[in-house]
Amino acid sequence: MNGEESSLRPQSLLLTFLGDQVLGRDVCVYSGSVIDVFERAGVGEQATRSTLTRMVKRDLLRRQREGRRMYFGLTEHSTAVLRDGERRIWQTGAVNRDWDGTWTLLGFSLPESWQRQRHDLRSKLTWSGFGPLFSGLWLAPGEVDVSELVSELGLSAHVKVFRAHADAGTDIGAMIEETWDLSELAAGYQEFVRRWQPWETATAAPEDALARRLVLQAEWLRIIRRDPRLPVKHLPDDWPAEQAEKTFRAVYDQLTPPARDAATRLLDLVPVRPDQA
């Protein structure tokens, strides 16, 4: 692997790795196995160990000791995060062709001194696919349930949520361009295609295929998590998400047979012990 993957955070790679190898299997993975794979993905041993420790403290991983070896498994928290990622990659996808015209509108009014709360709310709204129509009025395509998000921030009394349809005279395409940075979203998809399209027909040694497929999935998930999945019929005709998704699936299919072979041979997995689950 080369230095182009360095922009991926080790935690993102580790969550992707666990989603691929551990999720739904009731197993834990040996720390040494993680270190071996991550070194091939360009992440050093110390960074991997630090990430494992940090994720345990954040309740994203649990430890399970077997003799002298330490194994790591999922928590309820990380399982929920990974199920969301799994759904975004394999079910909802990057192209929204099924939009029924519904928008979720969220209005908020916070005291001027609540700068931190305002920042946290805007960050979580962006993560959930919202864009700022006006300063205190945000919208997202479809029906988005934000009740848990608002409750966690303690802002239920300051937020109002509605379902709406645009008036017939509204230029939805123009509204989308004013609310979201389409050029940035498109550039992310275009760069993904540029980097990964050559691998649609390339071959890789099993160990390298395992690491490369890990980076592929982590990069793809990072892109689609940033994408609010705007209705494709209101996006530019050359919107690159569909081509990028085809590239992702083609490269994933190309890398999967050797990656599975490597995982079977290289990964040390043990069953989750009920007394430590």
Side-chain angles (χ1 to χ4, degrees), residues 94 180-194 220 223-224 226-228 230 235-245:
W180 285 275
D181 189 344
L182 295 186
S183 61
E184 182 179 351
L185 286 171
Y189 283 122
Q190 290 161 349
E191 174 62 13
F192 183 88
V193 172
R194 183 194 70 78
W220 181 241
I223 290 174
I224 61 176
R226 292 173 177 173
D227 187 344
L230 298 162
L235 291 171
D237 292 338
D238 59 349
W239 189 245
E242 183 171 10
Q243 178 57 56
E245 187 163 57

Side-chain angles (χ1 to χ4, degrees), residues 138-276:
W138 288 53
L139 82 164
E143 296 190 11
V144 183
D145 184 359
V146 294
S147 56
E148 185 175 345
L149 178 160
V150 173
S151 177
E152 285 179 357
L153 294 173
L155 297 177
S156 298
H158 301 270
V159 171
K160 300 292 184 291
V161 182
F162 306 88
R163 310 293 183 209
H165 285 77
D167 185 81
T170 301
D171 187 335
I172 294 177
M175 181 184 72
I176 285 174
E177 288 187 6
E178 293 168 1
T179 304
W180 285 275
D181 189 344
L182 295 186
S183 61
E184 182 179 351
L185 286 171
Y189 283 122
Q190 290 161 349
E191 174 62 13
F192 183 88
V193 172
R194 183 194 70 78
R195 284 192 9 81
W196 288 102
Q197 202 166 46
W199 282 93
E200 289 186 21
T201 55
T203 57
E207 292 82 355
D208 290 335
L210 180 61
R212 191 165 291 277
R213 192 180 68 159
L214 167 62
V215 174
L216 170 77
Q217 290 177 272
E219 284 192 3
W220 181 241
L221 188 56
R222 179 175 62 178
I223 290 174
I224 61 176
R225 280 194 187 280
R226 292 173 177 173
D227 187 344
R229 294 190 76 250
L230 298 162
V232 70
K233 67 180 180 180
H234 293 294
L235 291 171
D237 292 338
D238 59 349
W239 189 245
E242 183 171 10
Q243 178 57 56
E245 187 163 57
K246 287 180 179 177
T247 295
F248 165 75
R249 289 179 180 268
V251 177
Y252 182 89
D253 289 345
Q254 177 76 357
L255 294 173
T256 288
R260 284 182 175 165
D261 176 60
T264 300
R265 291 187 293 103
L266 299 177
L267 301 187
D268 180 1
L269 304 172
V270 296
V272 171
R273 288 208 307 265
D275 61 311
Q276 295 192 24

Side-chain angles (χ1 to χ4, degrees), residues 73-116:
L74 299 176
T75 63
E76 192 173 316
H77 182 191
S78 56
T79 297
V81 171
L82 293 176
R83 289 295 184 198
D84 174 70
E86 184 179 59
R87 176 182 59 80
R88 290 183 189 236
I89 290 177
W90 301 113
Q91 296 176 29
T92 58
V95 183
N96 185 355
R97 298 184 182 86
D98 304 320
W99 183 63
D100 64 359
T102 302
W103 295 93
T104 298
L105 291 178
L106 183 145
F108 64 89
S109 179
L110 305 180
E112 196 63 36
S113 61
W114 286 19
Q115 294 183 8
R116 180 184 59 79

